[in-house]
């Protein structure tokens, strides 16, 4: 859905519109999740037979972080909630792509250790992995910004992936205990100003998906 140009079903949509009846049937957003509430909600949608439909002609105005510290914090928090959701909720409502940064840096670490121990195959694999990452970053940067300043994007890519991986590691130590309602839960969480009168569950009502199952 991020780079797609064709309409069709998707496992996740960044700015979806839901029918109110669907929200009430499936259950609303779990507000104890600071950044992954949409992933968790979409997983419940799929479990109930609903599907998300991507429409490339929809126009959405999005204001991204405009500083490197802002991007770093966003990516760290996003990665944090991937593993923290698993720790706190005992489920993984994400795709394997959410683990790619963590897997990449874990591979670099393992290959680096093996290289130090003198294993030539590990050393070759390490250089090959770094080379492929660098080449992929440069190609993606040139496509996104075909100018002499494309190299700036390669720095952003490195920052995003490293911070996301670091956040994923940190989230493993989030702890299973949930916070009190209305309090910040962890990095990236939003404070809830109004208590939910229905009691036990922390949920946020959002918009209006269509049941195509």
């Amino acid at each position: 859905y991020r780079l797609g140009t064709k309409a069709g079903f998707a496992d996740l949509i960044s700015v979806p519109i839901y029918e109110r009846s669907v929200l009430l049937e499936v259950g609303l957003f779990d507000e104890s999740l600071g950044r992954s509430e949409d992933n968790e909600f979409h997983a419940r949608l799929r479990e109930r037979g609903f599907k998300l439909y991507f429409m490339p002609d929809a126009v959405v105005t999005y204001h991204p972080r405009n500083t490197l510290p802002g991007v770093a914090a966003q990516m760290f928090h996003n990665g944090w909630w991937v593993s923290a959701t698993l720790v706190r909720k005992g489920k993984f409502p994400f795709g394997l792509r959410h683990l790619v940064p963590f897997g990449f840096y874990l591979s670099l670490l393992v290959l680096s250790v093996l290289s130090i121990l003198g294993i030539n195959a590990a050393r070759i694999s390490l250089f090959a992995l770094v080379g492929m990452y660098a080449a992929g970053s440069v190609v993606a940067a040139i496509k996104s910004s075909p100018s002499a300043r494309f190299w700036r994007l390669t720095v952003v890519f490195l920052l995003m992936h490293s911070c996301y991986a670091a956040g994923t590691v940190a989230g493993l130590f989030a702890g299973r205990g949930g916070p009190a309602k209305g309090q910040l839960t962890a990095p990236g969480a939003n404070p809830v100003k109004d208590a939910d009168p229905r009691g036990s569950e922390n949920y946020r009502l959002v918009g209006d998906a269509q049941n195509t199952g």
Side-chain angles (χ1 to χ4, degrees):
Y1 72 92
R2 297 181 185 276
L3 302 175
T5 57
K6 295 182 179 180
F9 293 107
D11 62 337
L12 183 64
I13 296 177
S14 58
V15 188
I17 299 176
Y18 310 107
E19 290 182 2
R20 180 183 175 90
S21 59
V22 173
L23 287 162
L24 297 178
E25 176 181 344
V26 175
L28 308 184
F29 278 26
D30 185 345
E31 290 190 357
S32 68
L33 301 174
R35 289 287 178 94
S36 57
E37 69 274 23
D38 55 341
N39 301 90
E40 192 274 336
F41 176 69
H42 292 161
R44 283 188 280 124
L45 282 177
R46 293 190 295 271
E47 290 173 358
R48 297 291 292 271
F50 292 94
K51 294 182 180 180
L52 294 167
Y53 195 83
F54 171 65
M55 300 179 63
D57 55 340
V59 178
V60 177
T61 300
Y62 176 74
H63 300 279
R65 275 66 172 177
N66 57 8
T67 65
L68 290 180
V71 171
Q74 178 191 20
M75 291 298 105
F76 181 89
H77 296 157
N78 287 350
W80 193 95
W81 279 104
V82 169
S83 50
T85 300
L86 177 62
V87 172
R88 292 185 171 182
K89 298 296 181 178
K91 51 186 174 181
F92 188 78
F94 306 96
L96 291 178
R97 64 180 179 273
H98 292 89
L99 294 176
V100 169
F102 169 76
F104 174 74
Y105 281 96
L106 178 62
S107 298
L108 290 183
L109 176 62
V110 172
L111 290 174
S112 296
V113 172
L114 294 178
S115 297
I116 294 174
L117 295 177
I119 301 177
N120 290 329
R123 187 176 296 109
I124 294 173
S125 298
L126 177 62
F127 283 117
L129 188 59
V130 172
M132 287 188 294
Y133 177 83
S137 296
V138 169
V139 171
I142 292 176
K143 286 184 176 180
S144 300
S145 180
S147 69
R149 298 181 177 181
F150 75 89
W151 61 269
R152 295 185 178 185
L153 272 183
T154 63
V155 175
V156 174
F157 292 155
L158 178 62
L159 180 69
M160 291 173 63
H161 297 150
S162 59
C163 290
Y164 197 101
T168 303
V169 173
L172 293 172
F173 306 95
R176 297 188 62 86
K181 186 186 302 181
Q183 295 181 357
L184 292 175
T185 62
N190 297 316
V192 180
K193 296 181 179 180
D194 300 318
D196 188 335
R198 288 166 292 181
S200 60
E201 300 294 336
N202 298 329
Y203 288 119
R204 178 187 298 119
L205 182 61
V206 181
D208 269 324
Q210 180 177 0
N211 189 345
T212 57

